Amino acid sequence: MQATQEEMAAANVDMVWRDFCAHVLIKLNDCRRKSLYVPWKCEHERHEYEKCQYKDYKKRVAAAKEASA
């Protein structure tokens, strides 16, 4: 699932973080704001965001290997 430009603008997502995992980041930031940034409150959302980032990284590495081969 991809987040639209309007969703990212409404969620105040910085341009730097507008990537493949922005839709998960929106949920994570919303949870963080609601829980006043308490570290143990949004563990599930943080895990999902980090997993999304890892999958995106692995996909980019595979594409780079394929392009160089």
Side-chain angles (χ1 to χ4, degrees), residues 50-68:
E50 290 172 352
K51 184 177 178 181
C52 181
Q53 289 284 5
Y54 177 73
K55 286 182 179 179
D56 185 45
Y57 168 75
K58 294 298 277 186
K59 185 170 50 172
R60 288 185 283 119
V61 168
K65 279 186 181 179
E66 185 179 302
S68 67

Side-chain angles (χ1 to χ4, degrees), residues 6-66:
E6 292 80 24
E7 290 172 333
M8 289 186 278
N12 295 325
V13 176
D14 289 335
M15 292 297 286
V16 190
W17 300 106
R18 294 185 182 195
D19 60 359
F20 182 75
C21 299
H23 64 284
V24 184
L25 181 63
I26 291 171
K27 294 177 194 173
L28 175 60
N29 285 341
D30 187 44
C31 177
R32 285 176 171 168
R33 286 185 195 107
K34 288 179 181 176
S35 65
L36 301 174
Y37 292 87
V38 178
W40 57 85
K41 291 285 186 177
C42 303
E43 288 179 348
H44 178 70
E45 290 84 356
R46 191 180 79 233
H47 175 73
E48 284 195 18
Y49 178 69
E50 290 172 352
K51 184 177 178 181
C52 181
Q53 289 284 5
Y54 177 73
K55 286 182 179 179
D56 185 45
Y57 168 75
K58 294 298 277 186
K59 185 170 50 172
R60 288 185 283 119
V61 168
K65 279 186 181 179
E66 185 179 302

